[in-house]
């Protein structure tokens, strides 16, 4: 009799446990084509809140968004938002068109449920 016959085949079960991430992180850049004054960290945060208010009203403006890093020189930031508010934040940033009566545009460069994923970009790595 061949080996293994009559014996119960070992059952392998693969379990993937996925807990929904509590927050999402976005790397964004503000583009101000005409130059001029650059927003401070406080003004940048206010601009994000304004974008949320314009698209989603007061409920949107109450969405908890944190500016974890902001670089005034490059107008780049890393934002943290609760995962349920990711689409609201992204859409509000995308549709914002003006900062202090000047044309502007937010570019979402990267997004992830893991902050570490945004900490470095391998394409910008200098060896």
């Amino acid at each position: 009799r061949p080996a293994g016959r009559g014996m119960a085949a070992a059952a392998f079960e693969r379990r993937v446990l996925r807990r929904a991430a509590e927050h999402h992180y976005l790397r964004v850049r503000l583009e101000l084509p005409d130059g001029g004054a650059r927003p401070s960290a406080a003004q940048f945060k206010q601009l994000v809140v304004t974008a949320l208010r314009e698209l989603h009203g007061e409920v949107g403006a109450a969405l908890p968004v944190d500016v974890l890093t902001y670089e005034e020189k490059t107008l780049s930031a890393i934002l943290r938002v609760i995962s349920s508010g990711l689409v609201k934040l992204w859409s509000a940033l995308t549709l914002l068109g003006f900062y202090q009566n000047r044309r502007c545009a937010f570019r979402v460069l990267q997004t992830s449920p893991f902050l570490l994923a945004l900490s470095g970009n391998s394409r910008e790595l200098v060896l």
Side-chain angles (χ1 to χ4, degrees):
R1 188 169 127 180
R5 198 170 273 209
M7 295 170 56
F12 290 99
E13 188 178 330
R14 182 175 175 206
R15 290 188 183 194
V16 179
L17 300 176
R18 273 189 79 158
R19 187 176 69 86
E22 192 178 343
H23 291 96
H24 262 75
Y25 301 88
L26 295 90
R27 180 189 298 275
V28 299
R29 184 177 65 237
L30 178 63
E31 294 182 357
L32 293 168
D34 61 349
R38 294 168 177 270
S40 66
Q43 289 169 324
F44 187 89
K45 166 75 183 212
Q46 189 56 48
L47 185 58
V48 171
V49 173
T50 299
L52 283 162
R53 182 177 288 115
E54 283 183 9
L55 187 61
H56 301 291
E58 291 304 317
V59 172
L63 185 70
V65 177
D66 299 307
V67 180
L68 300 184
T69 65
Y70 173 64
E71 216 176 280
E72 196 171 322
K73 192 176 113 186
T74 60
L75 298 174
S76 299
I78 294 180
L79 308 178
R80 178 177 63 192
V81 64
I82 55 171
S83 291
S84 61
L86 175 65
V87 172
K88 275 187 179 176
L89 176 61
W90 197 330
S91 59
L93 294 177
T94 301
L95 294 175
L96 186 77
F98 288 92
Y99 166 68
Q100 293 183 345
N101 297 321
R102 296 157 50 203
R103 298 281 309 157
C104 76
F106 267 107
R107 300 284 178 240
V108 176
L109 306 174
Q110 207 175 356
T111 179
S112 174
F114 308 106
L115 179 58
L116 190 60
L118 273 57
S119 65
N121 182 347
S122 61
R123 293 178 184 180
E124 295 170 358
L125 187 63
V126 177
L127 297 174

